[in-house]
């Protein structure tokens, strides 16, 4: 596994520490878990764009089929 360093404003670091403490995990574990969750989610902006294109061009696609 590779480690990265991310600069954070002091207020973000304090908020991360507080949330991690409430969750009973280290700030590093919390940050890693949230990043993993974010990376595993489907890209909603892509899905919205694809729906728009398919809806906009539905008649064209029907004719080409």
């Amino acid at each position: 596994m590779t480690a990265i360093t991310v600069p954070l404003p002091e207020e973000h670091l304090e908020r991360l520490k507080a949330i991690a403490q409430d969750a009973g995990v280290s700030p590093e574990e919390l940050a890693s878990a949230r990043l993993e969750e974010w990376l595993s989610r489907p890209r909603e902006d892509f899905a919205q764009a694809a729906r728009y294109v398919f809806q906009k061009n539905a008649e064209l696609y029907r004719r080409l089929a």
Side-chain angles (χ1 to χ4, degrees):
M1 183 178 299
T2 302
I4 63 171
T5 302
V6 179
L8 291 175
E10 191 64 32
E11 60 270 11
H12 289 177
L13 177 59
E14 293 307 316
R15 188 163 179 224
L16 176 63
K17 286 179 179 179
I19 295 169
Q21 185 176 13
D22 289 347
V25 298
S26 72
E28 295 84 1
E29 290 173 312
L30 178 62
S32 179
R34 293 294 290 169
L35 181 58
E36 189 173 319
E37 177 188 337
W38 180 72
L39 290 172
S40 66
R41 272 191 275 154
R43 297 272 320 254
E44 185 56 31
D45 56 343
F46 174 79
Q48 286 177 347
R51 279 192 298 273
Y52 171 77
V53 169
F54 287 130
Q55 288 172 354
K56 182 179 178 212
N57 297 314
E59 180 61 22
L60 175 62
Y61 296 145
R62 188 187 62 73
R63 289 181 190 175
L64 291 172

